[in-house]
Amino acid sequence: MLRITDLSKKYSKSPDTVIRALDGVSLNIEAGEFVVVQGPSGSGKTTLLLAVGGLLPPSGGTVEFDGRKLYRMSQAERAKLRAREIGFVFQQFYLVSYLNVLDNVLTPSLALPDQQAQIRARELIEHFKLTDRIGHFPGELSTGERQRVGLARALLNRPRLLLADEPTGNLDQDNTRIVLGYFADFSRSGGTVLMVTHSPAAAEYAHRTVQLKEGKLVD
Ligand code: ADP
Ligand code: MG
């Protein structure tokens, strides 16, 4: 489902300082696979996820989603594919502080609110055991609950691919395992997961773990 070929990304802050954040990364991921990328801070993990998610044009190489090259598409096509097929989960949650749980989960559909989205949001809120928090605001939630809201939001549009950037970075051990379990459930039901993390526990839940070091994948 995902074919990453010889991906590179250079950042240049000035003409004589070029950072090779990604340096020839190739990785193929099947539908239903749960792949974890581990690597130290600065190894290029976030850059990889942003490039794979269509949010950051690489300097070289290709990202194919179901055989379609992401960066050959127009920006509008890429945005549409992203909205329909890809869910993002972040370490910092990025919930909207003045929206309650239900409305945060609904944000991916706010442009076209409809009955189906409401039903789906309530199902997800129940699935993630947030029903008694549905009217609460992010500031009233525990960090574990916030990340479950983040997961529900990521799944609203029934994406086929979840991209997660250190989703357990702010969670304690118990909540880390709860959240990792949900990612594993998603892949068991046919979804694809690419997660970057420091968490050693993640490897127990994933089908495959690869290491990123200075922008290169090492086995
Ligand atoms: P990780 O997520 O593994 O910590 P990143 O992908 O954030 O790694 O960063 C990889 C490297 O690229 C680091 O050296 C970082 O400082 C650099 N980098 C990331 N984003 C930018 C940017 N926008 N401009 C310049 N350098 C960047
Ligand atoms: Mg990062």
Side-chain angles (χ1 to χ4, degrees), residues 11-55:
Y11 294 111
S12 51
K13 284 281 163 197
S14 69
D16 45 35
T17 50
V18 174
I19 295 163
R20 287 172 174 276
L22 293 176
D23 190 4
V25 170
S26 296
L27 183 65
N28 292 332
I29 304 180
E30 307 285 333
E33 245 195 314
F34 181 176
V35 175
V36 160
V37 177
Q38 287 178 328
S41 183
S43 58
K45 301 185 300 297
T46 294
T47 301
L48 176 65
L49 277 195
L50 294 177
V52 169
L55 292 166

Side-chain angles (χ1 to χ4, degrees), residues 1 29-36 127-128 151 155 159-162 179-195 202 204-208:
M1 121 165 281
I29 304 180
E30 307 285 333
E33 245 195 314
F34 181 176
V35 175
V36 160
H127 177 70
F128 289 110
L151 268 165
L155 293 175
R160 287 187 298 144
L161 174 64
L162 272 185
V179 164
L180 291 172
Y182 282 124
F183 282 106
D185 288 346
F186 177 74
S187 85
R188 262 194 294 278
S189 65
T192 306
V193 182
L194 178 60
M195 173 187 297
E204 291 170 39
Y205 293 79
H207 296 120
R208 197 148 53 102

Side-chain angles (χ1 to χ4, degrees), residues 142-205:
S142 71
T143 53
E145 288 166 343
R146 283 180 209 167
Q147 193 54 299
R148 274 149 44 214
V149 176
L151 268 165
R153 177 185 56 190
L155 293 175
L156 186 75
N157 289 338
R158 301 181 189 279
R160 287 187 298 144
L161 174 64
L162 272 185
L163 297 176
D165 193 351
E166 313 219 20
T168 62
N170 283 320
L171 304 183
D172 61 25
Q173 263 185 16
D174 289 349
N175 282 298
T176 291
R177 291 195 172 272
I178 290 168
V179 164
L180 291 172
Y182 282 124
F183 282 106
D185 288 346
F186 177 74
S187 85
R188 262 194 294 278
S189 65
T192 306
V193 182
L194 178 60
M195 173 187 297
V196 305
T197 180
H198 287 297
S199 165
E204 291 170 39
Y205 293 79

Side-chain angles (χ1 to χ4, degrees), residues 95-96 99-122 124-125 134 149 152-154 156-157:
L95 303 179
V96 181
L99 295 179
N100 67 21
V101 166
L102 178 62
D103 288 336
N104 264 286
V105 173
L106 281 167
T107 50
S109 77
L110 286 182
L112 353 131
D114 68 65
Q115 199 68 34
Q116 285 310 310
Q118 282 273 340
I119 294 167
R120 170 82 176 146
R122 288 173 188 275
L124 286 164
I125 284 167
I134 194 162
V149 176
R153 177 185 56 190
L156 186 75
N157 289 338

